[in-house]
Amino acid sequence: MTPGRRSSTFTRLLRHGFTDASAAERLLDSAELAAVRDDPVLLEALGATADPDLALHGLVRLLEAQPGPSAHRELLDTLIAAKPLRDRLLGVLGASAALADHLARHPRDWEALVTYEPRDLHPGVAEFERGLAGAADPVGLRVAYRRCLLSIAARDVCGTTDVAETAAELADLATATLRAALALAERAAPEDAAACRLAVIAMGKCGGHELNYVSDVDVIFVGEAAAGADEAKALRSATKLASHMMRICSETTVEGSIWPVDANLRPEGRNGPLVRTLSSHRAYYQRWAKTWEFQALLKARPVAGDPELGQQYIDALEPLVWKAAERENFVTDVQQMRRRVVENIPVAEVDRELKLGPGGLRDVEFAVQLLQLVHGRADATLRSGSTLDALQALATGGYVGRADATQLDDAYRFLRSMEHRIQLYRLRRTHLVPEDEADLRRLGRSLGLRTEPVTELIREWKRHTGVVRRLHEKLFYRPLLDAVAQLAPGEARLSTKAARERLEALGYTDPAAALRHLEALASGVTRKAAIQRTLLPVLLGWFADSADPDAGLLNFRKVSDALGKTPWYLRLLRDEGAAAENLARVLSAGRLAPDLLMRAPEAVALLGDSDGAREGGGPGGGLEHRERAQLEREILAAVGRADNAEVGVRAARGVRRRELFRTAAADIVDSYGTENTPVEADQGALVDRVGGAVSDLTAATLAGTLRAVVRDGWGDTLPTRFTIIGMGRFGGHELGYGSDADVLFVHEPQEGVDEREAADAANKVVSEMRRLLQIPSADPPLLIDADLRPEGKSGPLVRTLKSYEAYYRRWSLVWESQALLRAEPVAGDEELGCRFIELVDPLRYPAQGLGEDEVREIRRLKARMESERLPRGADPKLHTKLGPGGLSDVEWTVQLLQLRHGWAEPGLRTTRTREALAAACAAGLLGAEEAATLDEAWVLATRVRNAVMLVRGRAGDTFPPESRELAAVGRYLGYGDGHVGDMLDAYRRTARRARAVVEELFYGA
């Protein structure tokens, strides 16, 4: 070959889409293609395939496999002369290495692609049965099956059939194959065949006439005794036939396997009998079946065996399918099913999953099936097993918007086409988009993307999954808005009854009220109503994802009514995706955060970005934690601008309310997660953030209140130096949403000031601070608790530093030393606060630790508290504070270690429980496993208390009894609907393990 010719051929091959032009040139020069190597028709046809290199290689293998020269010449002559054959054969060879292998093993099967009659364009079950008729054994059945599959693939890759027609043909071929396999099984055991009637019911994609190239074929078997036969014996015979039929299809032979036959959708799954009588099926579905089992029955279709028995099965169970939405647990089941289950997909594969990933095929299929279950009971036109047919019927009936249905139809067809071509290449069951460049190139070209196949494929794939992600939730809700807004006369729309049924199915317990809210928000032709109609379909889905959708929608209406005329509000929700989802989560997670927001709705701006004040006058956004110094500066500035103490403290309480909302909202968003932000995995970090934020906010509020009271009563200088010491959870930076502020008040007269005058001033300060922080107003009160002071409630509210010193020197008890472990200055005179800490350090970290008598006293006090303080009727095992393994158990254990070893271990000298526990572990005072057990229990108990306050709007130490509130606590803790029992079991288990550690470390058991 001359260099010039080689260069010309090489260039032509590249231009026709070959990637390895050198190898292609050698193949074209081979003896098999000598007669046609210069024929331009062949090169053009190869270039039109998905993978010209693969097609050429497969063609050479097929020619090499021909039994003789005449067969070789016949194939080449037909290939060049007959364009239909050329397109079909080369199209298959360029798309499927597996079918190329089949043709190389069975070199005359190419003749199945020669005929091009109209009846061959859309074969049905009868045509496929004829194609399989000659199979006398499982091996022959596999060969015949592949031959039929060859014709389906040829029509598919040439565009003769679309993706829905291809899927229907694959289902019809599966039907014919099941019949042929059953016939083989019956011929092998004629006595069994004579003893029973057996019907094979196709389920899943086979039943729905939308099968993949390679997929499990889901079936259910129904058996009855033949006339005069014993039922038990007949069922055994039917089971033998069914099992043999499954093996014929599933087992691997020299010709491979066909596909697995999966009967796990039957009643009781793997644990149930393979074959049941019709009455047994009916009884199971009437009494025991779950919602997903009725969902599966949407696609049930008799395909093989006794046709009369198969139809009796459908007639018996179909009415139950359309009553599934009336079942007691339907809403809970639907909420569980609606959540995408991607946890079992390896992280590296989630973004490549065509079926189960976000925006995948399952999203479309589930949405359509749910709407069928809800509305199909009253509208028989929706009762189709095919996803695309059902979607079209939903659009025609007004149950789905026409534009949405069209977009979903396009997306579903594209994604199914991708799935088909990926599976066709190796005839392997997979739903993963390949990563290899060559595979992506072949896939893109097979879908008609020829300019930049890889780039175009990825762009189109992401576009379609984006459409599905955006629309699959709106699919449920947009028609609801069309029903109440009624802006397009003549359009089919949901009736009021259908709209209520849909809302009930999605978890709304008062659908009539929900429809009124939607009408109020979305009706009319104003710009505001138009934006609401855009927002609400997504918001309704997020509300339905919570434990209380009705509250979420009601709260959203209240906020919208309050801010409806504010220019930045709807713009914030429309333009910042995070803000709308954050708002939906916050409004439907419980009472506390919405109550805080309703008192000043403009705080909704915090749910947006963190770039400060936005255009239009809305306050700065962002849910990031603000440091204590920032909070103090803002509160002190507000107090400084106020005319008097009451106005100043009102401003301080307003800041506190806003910041409590910020903290609660951030906690909810971190605990629930959003579409773009995963759930915070570190539960301890969540607890620390809330505890730190609320404690810092309380300290800043007290600092501002102190400044306001002093300035109003004495000007710039109080007659006595004054400081506030945080105690308990406050001093430990562990305050919850409903915690009081435990404090001690310390003062020291200014030089030259009479002690009585100083004491009077200090007492007036405390009294006024407590009054102002509890005045009824729109802002939550801040309760100050000074009961940990010397002598408790019987002692003076405020003492001088010298008085504290004298008391602790003479009268201090061991429990007071324990309480002082949490002491930390939080507001007022810093130097006085430091001197107080210097005073109490020897008490809380006694030299050489505690004596045995003191240890016994602490244990006695703990045991007494456990027996006396637990509320009557409370379940001790679920009491987060005083129950076994609860907060008290962990904290007293850690504090005992601090009292005994703090003098020698500097790391133990901290007011924070988790820090002290970690330091004790580092010092070898307890094992790492013991420390982890205590830490887990403390974090979980704290999270439960925070959840109860968020959900109920009031503090509580045990799980709420009301089911919806309990479910909301579960959602906050990461448990989905129906898993409340798992949550309670997990709490008991965690607490039980912690109590075992406490028994050993604290009580010395």
Side-chain angles (χ1 to χ4, degrees):
M1 186 181 298
T2 65
R5 183 189 167 196
R6 175 179 173 79
S7 176
S8 173
T9 303
F10 190 88
T11 302
R12 275 197 305 149
L13 290 170
L14 290 177
R15 192 169 63 247
H16 280 90
F18 288 86
T19 57
D20 189 348
S22 298
E25 203 168 7
R26 287 193 297 273
L27 290 173
L28 285 169
D29 286 336
S30 65
E32 281 71 25
L33 290 174
V36 295
R37 68 163 58 96
D38 294 321
D39 194 316
V41 169
L42 176 62
L43 200 57
E44 290 289 338
L46 287 167
T49 66
D51 189 337
D53 302 86
L54 184 67
L56 178 57
H57 184 259
L59 177 60
V60 171
R61 289 179 65 205
L62 177 58
L63 288 166
E64 289 173 343
Q66 294 306 305
S70 61
H72 184 280
R73 186 166 51 255
E74 179 189 1
L75 172 56
L76 274 183
D77 290 347
T78 310
L79 185 72
I80 298 301
K83 178 174 171 40
L85 170 72
R86 187 167 62 247
D87 291 343
R88 288 179 171 195
L89 178 58
L90 295 182
V92 168
L93 292 174
S96 178
L99 288 177
D101 292 341
H102 172 83
L103 285 169
R105 290 196 306 274
H106 305 280
R108 300 301 295 179
D109 276 6
W110 67 270
E111 295 173 2
L113 304 180
V114 173
T115 54
Y116 200 72
E117 301 299 328
R119 63 184 176 84
D120 298 310
L121 297 183
H122 300 291
V125 176
E127 287 78 16
F128 288 126
E129 284 189 294
R130 284 196 293 272
L132 302 176
D137 55 39
V139 173
L141 183 60
R142 281 153 176 71
V143 175
Y145 175 83
R146 291 282 193 281
R147 190 182 304 121
C148 293
L149 193 65
L150 189 66
S151 66
I152 293 176
R155 287 187 292 275
D156 179 16
V157 298
C158 292
T160 307
T161 54
D162 65 19
V163 65
E165 291 167 331
T166 300
E169 287 185 15
L170 290 166
D172 284 342
L173 175 56
T175 297
T177 306
L178 289 170
R179 292 177 182 178
L182 183 57
L184 290 176
E186 289 174 340
R187 281 203 294 272
E191 291 183 359
D192 287 330
C196 67
R197 299 166 62 203
L198 178 65
V200 184
I201 311 297
M203 305 288 284
K205 284 186 162 51
C206 182
H209 254 105
E210 48 190 21
L211 197 60
N212 300 330
Y213 275 102
V214 187
S215 174
D216 290 358
V217 170
D218 296 309
V219 298
I220 285 177
F221 295 105
V222 190
E224 295 287 350
D230 175 71
E231 183 178 288
K233 181 180 178 182
L235 284 177
R236 286 195 295 273
S237 296
T239 300
K240 291 178 185 177
L241 290 174
S243 299
H244 192 190
M245 187 204 82
M246 293 173 70
R247 290 196 302 275
I248 289 171
C249 297
S250 305
E251 286 182 348
T252 301
T253 70
V254 292
E255 286 293 337
S257 66
I258 302 177
W259 18 246
V261 177
D262 189 341
N264 289 335
L265 290 177
R266 67 185 184 270
E268 300 180 77
R270 295 175 188 270
N271 299 320
L274 184 63
V275 182
R276 288 176 182 258
T277 63
L278 179 57
S279 61
S280 177
H281 276 286
R282 187 188 295 112
Y284 174 83
Y285 283 102
Q286 286 174 337
R287 295 190 62 188
W288 307 111
K290 298 180 174 62
T291 299
W292 71 263
E293 293 178 281
F294 291 107
Q295 183 183 6
L297 284 174
L298 285 169
K299 296 183 179 296
R301 178 172 63 94
V303 291
D306 189 308
E308 182 182 353
L309 179 58
Q311 190 57 49
Q312 287 173 350
Y313 174 89
I314 298 299
D315 293 343
L317 295 187
E318 189 176 38
L320 301 179
V321 173
W322 304 116
K323 293 179 180 178
E326 300 170 7
R327 292 163 60 87
E328 182 180 350
N329 295 320
F330 181 74
V331 171
T332 302
D333 292 344
V334 164
Q335 288 177 332
Q336 287 179 308
M337 292 189 296
R338 278 182 57 250
R339 297 192 175 89
R340 284 189 292 267
V341 183
V342 296
E343 288 82 359
N344 294 328
I345 306 174
V347 175
E349 296 180 359
V350 169
D351 292 335
R352 296 167 50 215
E353 252 284 350
L354 276 175
K355 181 178 179 180
L356 299 177
L361 294 162
R362 178 61 58 83
D363 278 351
V364 181
E365 291 162 358
F366 173 78
V368 169
Q369 289 163 20
L370 173 59
L371 292 176
Q372 285 180 281
L373 286 174
V374 173
H375 300 297
R377 49 184 164 169
D379 189 343
T381 65
L382 306 181
R383 300 176 184 180
S384 169
S386 161
T387 300
L388 292 175
D389 289 348
L391 181 58
Q392 178 58 47
L394 287 164
T396 301
Y399 303 101
V400 170
R402 288 185 181 275
D404 291 347
T406 299
Q407 290 188 68
L408 278 178
D409 184 284
D410 290 344
Y412 189 74
R413 288 174 184 272
F414 182 84
L415 295 174
R416 282 302 300 272
S417 296
M418 283 184 68
E419 182 183 45
H420 277 189
R421 302 300 164 80
I422 290 168
Q423 293 183 351
L424 180 60
Y425 176 52
R426 291 286 186 193
L427 287 183
R428 291 176 183 165
R429 184 187 180 205
T430 179
H431 308 288
L432 291 179
V433 177
E435 296 178 292
D436 182 74
E437 184 86 6
D439 290 334
L440 290 170
R441 182 175 183 274
R442 180 191 320 107
L443 179 57
R445 285 174 59 90
S446 76
L447 297 172
L449 308 173
R450 298 300 173 96
T451 307
E452 292 286 345
V454 176
T455 303
E456 293 175 48
L457 171 68
I458 293 174
R459 183 176 63 243
E460 284 298 292
W461 169 39
K462 295 300 183 185
R463 181 175 71 83
H464 284 297
T465 55
V467 166
V468 174
R469 290 184 69 177
R470 190 175 67 251
L471 288 183
H472 100 279
E473 285 285 359
K474 291 183 181 180
L475 201 66
F476 302 120
Y477 302 109
R478 189 171 283 162
L480 294 169
L481 299 176
D482 293 340
V484 297
Q486 300 185 0
L487 294 178
E491 283 284 319
R493 59 172 57 92
L494 290 180
S495 66
T496 301
K497 181 174 182 290
R500 288 183 180 180
E501 288 173 343
R502 184 175 300 189
L503 283 165
E504 284 178 349
L506 294 163
Y508 289 82
T509 57
D510 189 350
L515 285 175
R516 289 196 299 273
H517 299 325
L518 293 179
E519 184 173 6
L521 289 164
S523 293
V525 294
T526 64
R527 179 175 174 274
K528 181 176 76 171
I531 295 175
Q532 288 282 21
R533 286 193 295 273
T534 302
L535 291 170
L536 277 166
V538 184
L539 289 168
L540 285 168
W542 287 325
F543 294 148
D545 197 38
S546 74
D548 196 348
D550 300 82
L553 179 56
L554 172 61
N555 289 331
F556 179 69
R557 180 180 175 184
K558 289 179 179 177
V559 173
S560 296
D561 287 347
L563 295 177
K565 296 182 180 179
T566 307
W568 52 265
Y569 167 61
L570 288 176
R571 188 167 66 245
L572 167 76
L573 300 184
R574 182 193 62 193
D575 297 341
E576 294 187 26
E581 186 173 4
N582 290 346
L583 179 62
R585 299 298 183 204
V586 166
L587 292 181
S588 56
R591 295 180 183 175
L592 179 65
D595 285 351
L596 292 169
L597 180 60
M598 297 309 169
R599 293 169 180 176
E602 67 277 2
V604 75
L606 299 176
L607 301 171
D609 64 30
S610 55
D611 297 331
R614 63 185 71 259
E615 180 185 354
L623 294 178
E624 295 82 3
H625 170 62
R626 299 182 70 201
E627 298 296 330
R628 177 172 162 182
Q630 291 177 283
L631 296 170
E632 272 200 28
R633 282 196 298 272
E634 181 181 359
I635 289 176
L636 292 175
V639 167
R641 292 190 297 269
D643 294 334
N644 56 54
E646 189 164 327
V647 174
V649 174
R650 188 184 307 136
R653 290 176 64 181
V655 173
R656 177 171 176 266
R657 183 249 314 127
R658 185 195 69 212
E659 295 303 322
L660 277 176
F661 172 75
R662 188 197 303 267
T663 301
D667 188 20
I668 290 166
V669 170
D670 287 340
S671 298
Y672 273 66
T674 66
E675 289 190 354
N676 298 316
T677 305
V679 173
E680 170 63 71
D682 185 351
Q683 302 292 296
L686 285 172
V687 165
D688 291 343
R689 281 203 288 271
V690 172
V694 178
S695 300
D696 286 347
L697 178 56
T698 301
T701 305
L702 290 177
T705 304
L706 177 60
R707 172 75 61 86
V709 170
V710 170
R711 193 189 65 170
D712 206 38
W714 293 270
D716 293 330
T717 306
L718 190 66
T720 186
R721 301 172 70 183
F722 189 91
T723 193
I724 303 173
I725 307 296
M727 299 289 285
R729 296 192 177 285
F730 187 15
H733 298 257
E734 297 161 0
L735 282 180
Y737 298 111
S739 301
D740 296 347
D742 288 319
V743 299
L744 298 178
F745 296 109
V746 186
H747 80 104
E748 185 176 67
Q750 298 280 8
E751 188 174 348
V753 175
D754 178 69
E755 286 195 7
R756 180 176 294 278
E757 179 188 353
D760 288 345
N763 277 287
K764 286 179 181 177
V765 166
V766 171
S767 176
E768 188 66 0
M769 286 181 67
R770 298 177 84 175
R771 184 185 72 83
L772 292 174
L773 288 171
Q774 295 179 48
I775 290 177
S777 75
D779 302 311
L782 174 55
L783 302 180
I784 297 175
D785 187 340
D787 289 352
L788 291 175
R789 65 188 184 270
E791 302 177 76
K793 294 181 180 180
S794 302
L797 199 57
V798 188
R799 286 177 182 261
T800 64
L801 186 63
K802 286 182 180 180
S803 176
Y804 277 103
E805 182 180 10
Y807 174 85
Y808 288 135
R809 185 173 62 250
R810 295 187 60 190
W811 307 110
S812 177
L813 300 174
V814 67
W815 73 263
E816 291 176 298
S817 295
Q818 182 182 353
L820 288 169
L821 286 167
R822 305 290 208 111
E824 180 174 291
V826 293
D829 190 301
E830 291 184 14
E831 193 267 340
L832 181 59
C834 290
R835 285 163 55 204
F836 179 85
I837 296 302
E838 291 172 3
L839 167 66
V840 301
D841 270 350
L843 288 170
R844 56 184 181 173
Y845 310 124
Q848 307 306 314
L850 294 179
E852 286 303 313
D853 289 343
E854 293 168 311
V855 171
R856 277 196 297 271
E857 175 63 12
I858 287 178
R859 289 171 176 166
R860 188 188 66 79
L861 289 171
K862 176 73 168 68
R864 178 182 169 190
M865 184 177 68
E866 288 178 11
S867 63
E868 294 181 1
R869 292 182 57 188
L870 194 69
R872 181 177 298 176
D875 182 352
K877 294 179 180 178
L878 293 176
H879 199 279
T880 59
K881 183 176 181 180
L882 301 176
L887 294 170
S888 175
D889 265 4
V890 177
E891 290 166 1
W892 280 60
T893 300
V894 171
Q895 289 160 12
L896 182 58
L897 291 172
Q898 289 179 285
L899 288 166
R900 299 181 79 172
H901 303 284
W903 66 277
E905 295 292 341
L908 291 174
R909 299 170 201 165
T910 173
T911 63
R912 306 178 189 221
T913 302
R914 298 188 71 215
E915 276 188 12
L917 182 57
C921 179
L925 301 177
L926 75 168
E929 187 175 344
E930 293 172 317
T933 298
L934 293 179
D935 186 71
E936 180 187 9
W938 189 89
V939 167
L940 178 56
T942 304
R943 290 268 291 155
V944 171
R945 295 180 93 207
N946 285 345
V948 170
M949 184 65 188
L950 285 170
V951 169
R952 305 186 73 188
R954 61 181 188 273
D957 291 319
T958 190
F959 291 87
E962 199 273 321
S963 59
R964 179 154 281 199
E965 291 179 346
L966 189 60
V969 170
R971 289 301 314 281
Y972 174 84
L973 296 176
Y975 292 88
D977 292 305
H979 291 278
V980 164
D982 295 337
M983 171 183 68
L984 298 177
D985 287 345
Y987 181 84
R988 292 187 186 100
R989 186 167 55 249
T990 302
R992 187 169 59 248
R993 289 199 300 262
R995 179 64 180 194
V997 176
V998 171
E999 292 282 355
E1000 181 180 348
L1001 293 179
F1002 184 83
Y1003 289 109

